[in-house]
């Protein structure tokens, strides 16, 4: 197989399909989503069989348990995929929305229209549910998409792609609006990220290694997210009950997620009152606390106590480990966060109005919070209705990316024969 | 001079200054703009003297007339720079604006805050007025900026930079918020576009060659604009008076601008009535018309008639030349535009409602217009109050880029101790 030639054809087909998708009406897009959902329910047995093929091959190749788990398409996962599509169908159509049409002194009326980005390339690991979620979001936002999932899920992805195409066809939309890269050759990824003539944006969903490689090599802009080194700062004007609740939840609700707290900053004045109480909560979960000298003095006797080094402030543990640092106050907290945070999500716990406002303004992260758990940084929790990923970048979309992140605004001018003088 | 080391220091200073600029209040930013305007008026003689130095060197190096013209700082240009700064001061401050704070069922309130991008690198030709315009826009939008102007304007730019720093200092803002690259060594550009740790976005303002080179080499996202191959389509349901007025203005108001029409598409049915009338107008300006076969038949006898080839549909003339093509109707017009347009600005002239709506929706360009001259595609005409450039890209800013294009939105969460369950 000539990968370059194959990907070029995939790209051309996607570009052509994107024109039809851009002008597709809301009813047709929703109809496609409903048809795909129905086909997934109908073909549950066939999907499980295809998944079984992938799982057997993966086991034979010695895939580790956590990855096998993500690769597995359970009955529940199949039902969730179908429901997810129906949820996307129920969201308002962002495309074609015209806003802010204002008259100018020249007589023209100027505003903006929301339009699709065009063709979206999505590169992800062996998680079949991403195939359907991503396809659904791209259909609703009027984009064409090229999906490159982990090669270990190829049979399941092909089975899903067939159902997606059936749904598109049934709704009168081009089947090429969603294409799966049919080869497991890695060279296909290299082509996908270097065809700016066919691909408008790449959304990588995967580990840091993958994303760093794509950043080096991509000629197409990316909506990407690297680490989630999230902070909670407990101010000395904090309500202690809120501080305990939030700091416990931000660490222990789930360890492996990017919006989990990795470093806790505590104001010196309140530390002796709040840290021992918090330690009692963490102890139940056997959380390792890596403290600076002051924190260790306060936490003396905690059974899982360790010493924090410079490296800890830069580490995303994704585990039952928390770095703890005592700071004199909000100035040092903000300085520490702006230096070490991955600009994902950071929170302050305080009852002080001016400090809350300063934290919101001065912490340079995609999500900044007052008195809430960092775990809320999520497209569904924010009410976006869906999420294609979380962006730590500043240009275009920042934070959880929903349908709007897959669109852009063009200028629209209503005139009456006006000319410039 | 060690360029790498020098640019690294410039970058570090810019990053530090950007933190202070991000939290600067509106009054301080406006005060800085007013002080710089006053300093420019006060030092007009010194600025002219510095400009004279540049002009003499440029003449000695054989700079061509058009470039000498742009390099020249006239009394009027000095007054315009100062007025421009005062206009920027009078614009609303985009930074810190909080919008759409909505309560979620969990109890948290979520919305977005507009924040600066951080550090903006601007690379431009030997046009001293850009130094001041760009500095003004970056100050107002709370960004730090690194300015790399054409080396031929170095004396004038240094004189202007001194006044900018004086204004920043007088307003209590960091002088490093606006830095001029003090070396004319071209390697400095190579450094500037490969320091993503210090520079958040690059705005190139210059010729196609410069921008294409930057696209290949830059490791920093760009707000860029390449060609302006703009179209006007005269539909058969056009009001002829409007068609004549707009098609004449779009071509002849100014030849050298990116929003000038380069190709005129005319519906077959109306062509015999509209083209001869239009030719009378173009003849006065001695516009060369390069027609396809049908257009040439209608324009027979026009003194500046030539044959359009495939190459003409892809050419930005920036001159008194216009490509003319007869099309059967709106479908072919949209297809031609989406194939050949540089996605800058395209207009339809029609009285037909449904066709107007289709054109707006289906033409994939940064500005789409009905019954108005493409020359309106401009930040001032659109009411942005200022313009740092025009973007043909789809991600982030699209079309004329004003203050908002130099900002991004972060998520803000107001909580009351909420945790995820």
């Amino acid at each position: 197989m000539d990968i370059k030639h194959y990907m070029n054809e995939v790209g051309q087909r996607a570009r052509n399909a994107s024109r039809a998708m851009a002008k597709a009406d809301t009813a047709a897009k929703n109809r496609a989503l409903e048809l795909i959902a129905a086909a997934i329910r109908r073909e549950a047995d066939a999907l499980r069989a295809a998944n079984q093929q992938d799982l057997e091959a993966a086991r034979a190749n010695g895939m580790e348990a956590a990855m096998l788990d993500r690769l597995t398409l359970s009955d529940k996962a199949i039902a969730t995929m179908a429901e997810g599509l129906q949820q996307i169908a129920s969201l308002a159509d962002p495309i074609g929305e015209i806003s802010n049409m204002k008259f100018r002194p020249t007589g023209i009326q100027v505003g903006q229209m929301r339009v699709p980005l065009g063709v979206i390339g999505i590169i992800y690991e062996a998680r079949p549910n991403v195939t359907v979620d991503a396809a659904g979001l791209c259909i609703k936002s009027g984009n064409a998409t090229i999906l490159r999932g982990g090669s270990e899920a190829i049979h399941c992805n092909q089975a899903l792609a067939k159902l997606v195409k059936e749904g598109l066809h049934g709704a009168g939309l081009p089947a090429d609006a969603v294409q799966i890269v049919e080869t497991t050759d890695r060279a296909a990824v290299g082509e996908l990220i270097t065809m700016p003539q066919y691909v408008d944006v790449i959304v990588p969903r995967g580990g840091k290694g993958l994303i760093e490689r794509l950043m080096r090599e991509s000629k197409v802009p990316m909506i990407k997210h690297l680490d989630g080194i999230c902070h909670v700062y407990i101010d000395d004007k904090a309500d202690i009950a809120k501080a305990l609740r939030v700091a416990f939840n931000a660490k222990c609700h789930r360890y492996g997620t990017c919006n989990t707290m990795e470093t806790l900053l505590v104001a010196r004045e309140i530390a002796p009152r709040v840290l021992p109480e918090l330690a009692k909560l963490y102890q139940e979960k056997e959380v390792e606390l890596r403290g600076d000298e002051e924190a260790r003095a306060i936490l003396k006797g905690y059974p899982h106590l360790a010493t924090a080094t410079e490296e800890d402030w830069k580490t995303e543990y994704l585990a039952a480990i928390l770095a703890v640092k005592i700071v004199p106050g909000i100035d040092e907290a903000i300085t520490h966060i702006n230096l070490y945070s991955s600009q994902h999500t950071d929170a302050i716990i305080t009852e002080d109005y001016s400090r809350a406002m300063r934290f919101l303004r001065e912490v340079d992260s995609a999500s900044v919070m007052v008195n809430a758990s960092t775990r809320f940084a999520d497209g569904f929790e924010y009410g976006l209705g869906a999420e294609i990923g979380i962006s730590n970048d500043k240009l275009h979309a920042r934070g959880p990316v929903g349908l709007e992140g897959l669109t852009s605004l063009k200028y629209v001018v209503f005139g009456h024969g006006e000319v410039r003088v």
Side-chain angles (χ1 to χ4, degrees), chain A:
Chain A
M1 187 178 205
D2 178 346
I3 301 290
K4 196 176 186 72
H5 179 254
Y6 167 72
M7 288 305 292
N8 202 57
E9 299 226 308
V10 168
Q12 276 179 342
R13 286 198 295 265
R15 178 62 77 208
N16 289 337
S18 75
R19 304 273 182 218
M21 289 303 288
K23 57 184 177 182
D25 62 33
T26 309
K29 294 187 287 189
N30 288 348
R31 176 96 181 114
L33 296 168
E34 295 282 358
L35 288 173
I36 300 165
I40 286 173
R41 290 198 177 101
R42 189 193 71 216
E43 299 294 337
D45 288 345
L47 289 172
R48 266 188 307 259
N51 184 236
Q52 207 51 48
Q53 247 187 297
D54 290 330
L55 284 169
E56 276 162 26
R59 271 189 217 104
N61 287 322
M63 184 186 270
E64 57 178 280
M67 282 188 72
L68 278 173
D69 189 47
R70 284 191 235 165
L71 178 57
T72 304
L73 207 57
S74 64
D75 287 357
K76 182 159 174 268
I78 291 173
T80 304
M81 283 196 297
E83 279 160 29
L85 290 170
Q86 290 180 302
Q87 267 173 31
I88 294 172
S90 72
L91 295 174
D93 189 345
I95 301 304
E97 184 181 280
I98 296 178
S99 53
N100 296 314
M101 293 299 300
K102 289 181 185 157
F103 276 103
R104 298 289 305 151
T106 50
I108 62 171
Q109 195 176 10
V110 183
Q112 290 176 301
M113 182 192 282
R114 195 167 286 284
V115 292
L117 292 176
V119 177
I120 300 178
I122 302 181
I123 300 168
Y124 54 104
E125 293 166 330
R127 296 173 65 177
N129 63 310
V130 174
T131 305
V132 170
D133 290 356
L137 287 168
C138 290
I139 290 169
K140 184 72 182 226
S141 57
N143 290 287
T145 182
I146 302 172
L147 299 168
R148 180 30 157 105
S151 55
E152 303 86 350
I154 187 75
H155 293 104
C156 192
N157 282 341
Q158 285 176 336
L160 286 167
K162 206 165 142 262
L163 305 180
V164 170
K165 283 179 187 297
E166 176 192 319
L168 286 165
H169 183 74
L173 296 175
D176 287 337
V178 177
Q179 294 180 84
I180 297 263
V181 174
E182 298 276 355
T183 168
T184 58
D185 191 321
R186 283 198 155 215
V189 172
E191 293 300 321
L192 185 60
I193 64 175
T194 51
M195 317 193 289
Q197 70 278 31
Y198 299 129
V199 182
D200 295 292
V201 61
I202 293 284
V203 182
R205 296 180 54 154
K208 199 173 164 179
L210 168 74
I211 293 172
E212 285 179 339
R213 178 169 80 89
L214 296 181
M215 280 174 70
R216 278 194 305 275
E217 296 171 16
S218 183
K219 296 286 172 200
V220 177
M222 284 196 279
I223 297 176
K224 64 177 187 293
H225 137 236
L226 287 163
D227 302 2
I229 303 180
C230 302
H231 296 74
V232 173
Y233 163 59
I234 302 177
D235 185 52
D236 53 286
K237 296 282 176 60
D239 173 307
I240 289 186
K242 290 178 187 167
L244 296 176
R245 202 155 67 226
V246 169
F248 179 69
N249 182 265
K251 182 71 240 181
C252 298
H253 184 252
R254 274 180 71 186
Y255 296 122
T257 48
C258 58
N259 54 17
T260 296
M261 166 178 62
E262 304 292 6
T263 299
L264 175 69
L265 304 172
V266 187
R268 182 165 293 141
E269 202 187 305
I270 205 171
R273 280 178 293 150
V274 77
L275 265 187
E277 291 300 310
L278 204 41
K280 285 182 202 161
L281 301 174
Y282 289 139
Q283 191 167 339
E284 276 178 45
K285 299 280 183 183
E286 301 187 356
V287 174
E288 179 181 329
L289 298 178
R290 298 195 186 167
D292 67 353
E293 201 180 332
E294 270 187 84
R296 289 199 310 278
I298 295 167
L299 291 164
K300 210 173 165 185
Y302 184 80
H304 318 287
L305 192 59
T307 300
T309 66
E310 172 73 13
E311 204 48 38
D312 285 289
W313 315 133
K314 303 174 187 169
T315 303
E316 183 180 21
Y317 301 117
L318 298 169
I321 306 172
L322 177 68
V324 184
K325 185 179 185 179
I326 307 296
V327 291
I330 188 172
D331 288 321
E332 296 76 10
I334 292 175
T335 301
H336 180 98
I337 292 170
N338 281 337
L339 187 60
Y340 295 106
S341 165
S342 61
Q343 305 192 302
H344 186 298
T345 301
D346 299 290
I348 184 173
I349 312 299
T350 192
E351 296 300 309
D352 185 283
Y353 164 81
S354 298
R355 291 186 194 165
M357 289 296 142
R358 272 197 61 197
F359 191 90
L360 291 179
R361 172 95 182 234
E362 296 178 26
V363 169
D364 187 20
S365 298
S367 288
V368 284
M369 303 182 167
V370 180
N371 295 341
S373 171
T374 55
R375 285 282 295 135
F376 282 112
D378 173 285
F380 293 92
E381 293 295 336
Y382 281 2
L384 306 182
E387 182 184 290
I388 192 102
I390 296 186
S391 166
N392 289 12
D393 280 334
K394 287 185 178 180
L395 285 185
H396 193 66
R398 196 174 185 192
V401 181
L403 285 177
E404 273 200 7
L406 301 178
T407 68
S408 82
L409 295 171
K410 68 181 178 189
Y411 281 97
V412 164
V413 174
F414 293 160
H416 320 79
E418 283 83 1
V419 297
R420 255 183 96 171
V421 288

